[in-house]
């Protein structure tokens, strides 16, 4: 099955689209942000180490996130991975290339999701997720049908992220433009990049991603 990267700034809609691909195509979402938040909640030593860095909106070290991805890839030989929020640096991109090559897997598409900064602020400050199943909502753009009840799993545990504030978002955007946006050129040069308009409606973005995946299984 195809392996893809969803590349874009915080709030671009990577998680929202990844969940549709999991449901629609049976792909496997690998979100380093989710993995790090799980580590934080579990109270592990690594979780405690990264908590303050994440709260400030800075990037966690390459060593930690590459280790997390490596762990998840082991035992999933079939592929069909959606890399969501990874890689975020050139070192991470190189490590991913090497890990996939070791498994005999390829990277089939890198989807750049373009959204301007003003829209990102509105998206991030209105975001909430279901603590039960991870479904992603937005106060205005995608509210739950019944207030604070998940459309997907009926959980009433709605969660807002500690780093979804305007202050932390400023740092997260700086980190994105400084360290992650060079990956756009990197994957363009490799002939793997497709850019989609992330400002369009969720279903329209999903259709553009499907088109980029083409006949990929
Ligand atoms: P990311 O994973 O890239 O940080 P999310 O998928 O969590 O982004 O989306 C951020 C916020 O924007 C969420 O509240 C989500 O409901 C909303 N959102 C996602 N895609 C769209 C879209 N195409 N149009 C409007 N709002 C969207
Ligand atoms: P996300 O859920 O993708 O918005 O990530 C939330 C936070 O987790 C980021 O602001 C970083 O602090 C950290 N993080 C997630 N993925 C990575 C990564 N690939 N490299 C470094 N830090 C990451």
């Amino acid at each position: 099955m195809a392996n893809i990267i969803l590349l874009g700034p915080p709030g671009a809609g990577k998680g929202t689209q990844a969940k549709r691909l999991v449901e629609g195509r049976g792909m496997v979402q690998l979100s380093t942000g989710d993995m790090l938040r799980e580590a934080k909640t579990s109270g592990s030593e690594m979780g405690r180490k990264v908590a303050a860095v994440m709260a400030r909106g800075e990037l966690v070290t390459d060593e930690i996130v590459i280790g997390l991805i490596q762990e998840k890839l082991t035992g999933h030989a079939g592929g069909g991975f959606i890399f969501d929020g990874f890689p975020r640096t050139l070192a991470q991109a190189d490590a991913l290339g090497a890990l996939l090559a070791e498994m005999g897997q390829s990277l089939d598409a890198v989807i750049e999701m373009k959204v301007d900064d003003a829209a990102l602020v509105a998206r991030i400050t209105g975001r909430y997720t279901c603590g039960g199943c991870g479904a992603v909502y937005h106060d205005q753009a995608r509210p739950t049908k019944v207030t604070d009840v998940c459309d997907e799993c009926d959980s009433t545990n709605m969660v807002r992220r500690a780093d979804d504030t305007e202050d932390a978002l400023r740092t997260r955007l700086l980190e994105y433009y400084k360290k992650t946006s060079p990956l756009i050129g990197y994957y363009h040069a490799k002939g793997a990049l497709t850019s989609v308009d992330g400002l369009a409606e969720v279903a329209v973005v999903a259709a553009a991603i499907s088109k980029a995946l083409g006949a990929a299984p």
Side-chain angles (χ1 to χ4, degrees):
M1 220 193 276
N3 299 309
I4 68 167
I5 295 173
L6 296 181
L7 183 62
K14 303 182 293 295
T16 300
Q17 295 299 330
K19 291 208 159 37
R20 287 180 72 114
L21 289 165
V22 169
E23 279 158 28
R25 293 186 179 238
M27 295 176 81
V28 179
Q29 179 186 11
L30 294 180
S31 157
T32 39
D34 284 349
M35 294 173 206
L36 290 163
R37 279 183 289 279
E38 273 162 33
K40 241 173 51 178
T41 311
S42 77
S44 70
E45 194 192 326
M46 189 263 279
R48 283 198 300 275
K49 218 157 92 181
V50 298
V53 176
M54 290 174 74
R56 285 196 300 270
E58 292 165 9
L59 292 191
V60 168
T61 63
D62 289 335
E63 194 190 354
I64 287 178
V65 288
I66 291 167
L68 284 170
I69 284 287
Q70 192 164 12
E71 230 172 77
K72 293 280 174 178
L73 289 181
T74 313
H76 269 106
F81 304 116
I82 307 159
F83 297 97
D84 162 10
F86 179 92
R88 264 171 150 103
T89 63
L90 288 166
Q92 292 177 24
D94 281 336
L96 177 61
L99 283 170
L100 288 173
E102 258 174 48
M103 297 169 68
Q105 294 273 333
S106 56
L107 186 59
D108 299 286
V110 179
I111 315 281
E112 182 207 359
M113 303 178 63
K114 288 166 96 85
V115 176
D116 62 61
D117 289 359
L120 294 175
V121 175
R123 284 192 184 182
I124 290 286
T125 50
R127 167 163 65 185
Y128 57 103
T129 55
C130 171
C133 70
V136 189
Y137 297 102
H138 188 276
D139 289 326
Q140 283 86 38
R142 290 177 67 76
T144 49
K145 291 192 185 98
V146 179
T147 306
D148 287 345
V149 180
C150 179
D151 296 353
E152 310 285 332
C153 75
D154 288 341
S155 167
T156 52
N157 177 23
M158 294 297 144
V159 185
R160 286 183 195 260
R161 279 170 48 174
D163 60 346
D164 275 354
T165 59
E166 277 197 55
D167 258 4
L169 179 59
R170 244 188 303 279
T171 306
R172 287 158 70 195
L173 281 175
L174 272 177
E175 292 279 75
Y176 175 77
Y177 290 118
K178 213 163 46 176
K179 298 174 183 165
T180 308
S181 66
L183 298 186
I184 296 168
Y186 174 93
Y187 286 119
H188 171 72
K190 285 180 177 283
L193 192 77
T194 302
S195 297
V196 304
D197 175 14
L199 276 173
E201 277 177 30
V202 171
V204 176
V205 179
I209 293 174
S210 267
K211 194 170 159 217
L213 286 178

